[in-house]
Amino acid sequence: MVVGEIAEGVDLLVVGAGPAGYAAALRGAQLGRDVTLVDRDGEAGVGGVCLRVGCIPSKALIEFADVLHRANALGRGGLAAGGVTADLAGFQRHKAGIVAGLTGGVRGLLRDAGVPLVGGTLRFTRPDQAVVETTAGQARFFEFQDVVLATGSRPVSLPSLPFDGITVLDSTGALALDALPSSVAVVGAGYIGVELGTALAKLGVPVTIVEQAEHLLPGVERALSRPVSRRLAELGVDLLTAATARAHADGVLTVERGGEQVAVKAEKVIVAVGRQPNTDQLGLDRLGVTAGSDGLLPVGPDRLVRRHVAAIGDITPGPALAHKGYAEAGVAVENLSGRRAAFQPAAIPAVVFSDPEIATVGLTAAEAAEQGIEVAMSSLPMAANGRAMTIGAQHGTVQLVTDRGSGVVLGVHLVGPHASELIAEATLALEMGATAEDLAETIHVHPSVSEHLEEAARATVGRPINSPSQRPTAAD
């Protein structure tokens, strides 16, 4: 021990106050552990990227933009809105209220659970000790029994387009805009880029999306992403695929495509090319832990990196999703507390809050076939759904993938309105080992978008009601 160093004893130390971290802290308190939570931003960091500058603010912006766009577009349906306009400064106040309410609620839960929060930057000094350089400029040493790492991730920057917070923005900067730019280029057509680009286009901003891959939403089946591509075109978004953003100056983004230079007008550039785990400045070597070349920490089903050390959330393999972090938190803390638990979900749902929304869980037909499973797939266009038509959102489809022999549901893939809500039923079906017959015989509300899943199941078992009889197709 360093002379003059006085270490505070901690039973369970949790590093990071995002969704995974605060969930771990609360579960630890429920199990009777003496928990200390550390976050580099202190009280202001509660909720992490998701609640403060990511998931929640982005969905608020998406809803704001969609309401405005729909109000102005429903003239053909008899709605005389009289030219609704956007006040982005007013939106920022509205968004701040939402964030304050949610993060304040989490702080209240931590307070009620008796979990103290320490603000500052943490580095490990040995396998059972860490030092926190507090926001007040002090050094506090903590000697812990167990530790949960939940430090999250940050946006990836591009050497050619470094973030300056003025003209070149990350997603956080884009969500903080208090005035509409005259033009925007979004670099990266993953889910973040598509969501931000769609919202800004609905607010009337000319948007260009630049993507290195051959199509938007790389990793998503083309059958699912095509409706989104078509909708972006309807909204006036220019999509440049197989293209690379090179530089930005004087309101112009230079893009290389097909060996040629393309000039894209862009007052603001939003770089959304991915996120990287926050594991590089923790002093993990002192903890006896080594991150992979991708910065991720290898964990088992118990979420332990080694004895007394767990890792959860964006710093572990798998999708960087808040709901995955929530689920991992309980597993990690229970194992550190002498209980047996395993993170072995049948599937983890994923959603793109695009227009239309994409929600997917389980195997695609192609993935199942690659595993040697003989599959059947029913695919029904959303245009056949009455509820979707009444809300003017009939773009999309429902795909149901089942094992041809047993009828067990292997995957559900939705493109359309409220897909983010409908995917919960599909995920439960996979977790429960439900069959197409189970879904077909479950009475769904009419009229609703959810009944389209029932109809897809009915088509699979050969008893459709509101769609033509069809023979479920096998994977190619």
Side-chain angles (χ1 to χ4, degrees):
M1 181 176 290
V2 178
V3 175
E5 168 193 319
I6 301 175
E8 304 172 46
V10 173
D11 179 23
L12 176 62
L13 180 67
V14 179
V15 188
Y22 77 69
L26 291 171
R27 183 57 182 146
Q30 290 169 357
L31 293 175
R33 303 294 299 269
D34 182 10
V35 183
T36 296
L37 179 61
V38 177
D39 190 274
R40 65 181 180 184
D41 294 323
E43 291 280 341
V46 171
V49 168
C50 183
L51 266 67
R52 298 184 299 121
V53 295
C55 317
I56 298 302
S58 67
K59 304 316 167 282
L61 178 64
I62 289 167
E63 182 69 15
F64 174 74
D66 191 56
V67 168
L68 182 142
H69 180 76
R70 282 172 55 78
N72 285 322
L74 278 176
R76 62 182 180 275
L79 178 67
V84 180
T85 58
D87 173 10
L88 214 55
F91 164 75
Q92 291 297 342
R93 292 190 293 272
H94 168 68
K95 181 196 76 175
I98 295 173
V99 171
L102 290 171
T103 56
V106 175
R107 280 190 287 271
L109 292 172
L110 292 168
R111 189 165 50 249
D112 292 345
V115 176
L117 178 62
V118 178
T121 303
L122 178 144
R123 285 186 63 84
F124 292 101
T125 55
R126 65 188 196 200
D128 64 346
Q129 190 179 89
V131 61
V132 176
E133 298 294 336
T134 70
T135 52
Q138 300 174 330
R140 292 180 63 180
F141 288 83
F142 295 94
E143 193 169 280
F144 53 85
Q145 175 66 31
D146 297 305
V147 62
V148 177
L149 303 175
T151 48
S153 60
R154 62 186 185 273
V156 171
S157 62
L158 294 175
S160 60
L161 293 168
F163 299 126
D164 61 16
I166 301 171
T167 58
V168 181
L169 311 174
D170 60 10
S171 57
T172 299
L175 291 168
L177 289 170
D178 58 7
L180 293 175
S182 60
S183 56
V184 165
V186 179
V187 180
Y191 75 94
I192 295 175
V194 168
E195 290 177 3
L196 290 174
T198 301
L200 289 169
K202 287 183 176 180
L203 292 173
V205 178
V207 174
T208 302
I209 298 179
V210 181
E211 170 57 48
Q212 279 193 323
E214 296 293 329
H215 57 88
L216 89 168
L217 296 173
V220 174
E221 273 202 339
R222 293 299 302 276
L224 302 178
S225 64
R226 283 192 191 100
V228 176
S229 293
R230 289 193 292 267
R231 181 64 173 140
L232 286 171
E234 291 176 3
L235 293 170
V237 174
D238 290 328
L239 177 61
L240 301 180
T241 56
T244 302
R246 292 301 186 191
H248 181 255
D250 301 322
V252 174
L253 178 68
T254 302
V255 177
E256 184 177 321
R257 192 186 194 200
E260 298 182 353
Q261 301 290 316
V262 179
V264 175
K265 189 176 181 180
E267 178 190 342
K268 304 285 187 183
V269 176
I270 301 171
V271 177
V273 294
R275 301 184 65 83
Q276 63 187 82
N278 292 325
T279 56
D280 50 336
Q281 297 179 10
L282 293 172
L284 291 177
D285 56 328
R286 299 292 185 90
L287 187 61
V289 170
T290 302
S293 58
D294 53 7
L296 298 174
L297 301 183
V299 291
D302 55 8
R303 303 291 93 177
L304 299 186
V305 184
R306 67 170 183 79
R307 191 182 179 196
H308 300 298
V309 179
I312 56 177
D314 291 5
I315 62 174
T316 62
L321 301 170
H323 47 275
K324 169 178 169 281
Y326 281 136
E328 290 176 306
V331 172
V333 174
E334 290 190 13
N335 279 295
L336 289 174
S337 302
R339 300 190 175 201
R340 297 186 63 183
F343 183 74
Q344 295 176 321
I348 301 173
V351 174
V352 182
F353 289 85
S354 48
D355 183 2
E357 290 182 353
I358 298 175
T360 180
V361 67
L363 300 175
T364 65
E367 289 169 341
E370 288 174 1
Q371 295 183 21
I373 303 171
E374 187 177 357
V375 301
M377 184 180 77
S378 291
S379 181
L380 296 182
M382 196 61 72
N385 180 267
R387 179 59 177 152
M389 293 186 70
T390 66
I391 60 177
Q394 58 267 39
H395 295 285
T397 186
V398 172
Q399 291 182 4
L400 178 65
V401 181
T402 59
D403 179 279
R404 182 173 289 275
S406 66
V408 170
V409 177
L410 302 175
V412 178
H413 312 285
L414 310 169
V415 186
H418 311 311
S420 56
E421 303 294 339
L422 303 181
I423 202 64
E425 177 185 357
T427 306
L428 181 61
L430 266 70
E431 285 288 350
M432 299 296 291
T435 64
E437 185 73 33
D438 293 326
L439 288 177
E441 291 303 315
T442 298
I443 299 174
H444 289 65
V445 171
H446 174 79
S448 69
V449 181
S450 66
E451 67 181 322
H452 221 49
L453 184 55
E454 175 191 347
E455 187 66 14
R458 285 186 169 277
T460 298
V461 299
R463 300 195 304 275
I465 295 176
N466 293 302
S467 59
S469 296
Q470 58 173 291
R471 182 183 180 86
T473 58
D476 295 333

